[in-house]
Amino acid sequence: VIPTIDDFTGQTIIVELGPDTYPIYVGSNCLDRLADAFLRHCRCRRAVIITDDNVNKCYGPRVKDILIAGGIETNIISIPPGESSKYLPTLQKVYDQLFDFSVERSDAIVALGGGVVGDLAGFAAACFKRGIKYVQVPTTLLSMVDSSIGGKTAVNHPRGKNMIGAFYQPKLVFADIAVLKTLPRRELGCGLAETVKHAIIRDGLFFELLEKNARQIIELQQDLLVDLVVRNCQIKAEVVSADERESGLRRILNLGHSIGHAIETVFAGGDYHHGEAVSLGMVAAARLAVARKLLKEPLLPRIVNLLQAFDLPTGIQGDIPVDDLYQAMLHDKKVEAGRLNFILPTALGNCTIVSDLTETQIKTAIASLAAP
Ligand SMILES: NC(=O)c1ccc[n+]([C@@H]2O[C@H](COP(=O)([O-])OP(=O)(O)OC[C@H]3O[C@@H](n4cnc5c(N)ncnc54)[C@H](O)[C@@H]3O)[C@@H](O)[C@H]2O)c1
Ligand SMILES: [Zn+2]
């Protein structure tokens, strides 16, 4: 007898997308219920786990055993860890192995890992034999609160990040918070940056909860983390359900990302991880909002302090290449008809889209990131 999700003590969020509606399960030490969840939502008895070598070492065999115990025939495909795997050559190798394992149209892929694995495995599923089912088992905080929700799948092209992809929804998302114990601290911070983003754009009370519990969160207090992941999922799911293809509301999820992406591009040596760049981008956006009188001045230090409590950067040491950063922003794929759309916070829990910022205003905000 395998443990079922009937007496699951975690929480379940439903992502409402008509015929593509699916559940997100969030709990602590619940991985052994994955087989039952898989059987119910995939309705097949064959799985291929796609993971990366780090995650495979920690959890691959365990997840495989759990699925096999549930009567699901299971194989593992493992890719090298890191963003450099999220390109077409790795995808080609994954397809080769799917053929080696004789994967059929009715079988399902289990994406076990962070956003790199989730994006690549999701895209592999979207195209293999014109689409097979897939399940997200996110193992980084970032993938639990952000990349596993919303159905955006992609690989990178040398000409641009996430440029080859599809909108393709999983059958279910299964997040066991306990796996975060092995996650490097810096990766945890990246998930917390997206968490702060969700709070700022949508939920002031959530922002206060983060302020009050920052230390316990960093120490991975399990109940708190379950609540944190759940609230993130609800916010992202709400926004995505209202606008699956990013024509309007979904753009608010880009708070901090215009300047953040530019920072990632210009400081290409990996000085800043994605969440760290987004942290800096949110500080700049908050300053722009204050300058435009959209955000009350005293709210700015609260945003900065919360990011710092999560060990995230809020300033850049040394010279800031303002012009390079501005140019990088103009080349971002989110630029529409030459207009830079900016998401600016108007309160803790609310934001607005502004498209008439001047070059000087933007450059001033970038320059303001100079660390004292
Ligand atoms: N699809 C979307 O909507 C969306 C949203 C945001 C980000 N993304 C994408 O997500 C990717 C980044 O994802 P990420 O931050 O999860 O990075 P990642 O997948 O590279 O994982 C970070 C590192 O942590 C390791 N790791 C993962 N889980 C672990 C665990 N439990 N214990 C120990 N080590 C573990 C991985 O091997 C890797 O080295 C980017 O490619 C980005 O484009 C996609
Ligand atoms: Zn992001």
Side-chain angles (χ1 to χ4, degrees), residues 36 40-41 65 111 132 140 157 181 220 237 265 279-280 315 352 358 368:
D36 185 51
R40 286 184 200 215
H41 298 286
D65 288 348
I132 65 173
T140 62
H157 187 276
K181 285 174 191 156
L220 300 183
T265 308
S279 174
L280 292 164
T352 187
T358 65
S368 76

Side-chain angles (χ1 to χ4, degrees), residues 142 146 190 194 197 253-255 257 261 264 274-275 278:
L142 182 119
D146 192 352
C190 288
E194 304 288 359
K197 177 192 80 178
L253 297 171
N254 292 326
L255 172 69
H257 281 60
H261 281 150
E264 282 180 276
H274 176 71
V278 169

Side-chain angles (χ1 to χ4, degrees), residues 8 11-15 22-26 138 144 148-150 171-175 229-230 233-234 237:
F8 176 60
Q11 299 185 51
T12 311
I13 302 118
I14 305 294
V15 184
Y22 63 89
I24 304 173
Y25 297 98
V26 186
M144 291 179 187
S148 71
I149 316 147
K171 290 290 169 206
L172 83 135
V173 178
F174 197 95
V229 170
V230 166
C233 293
Q234 287 167 336

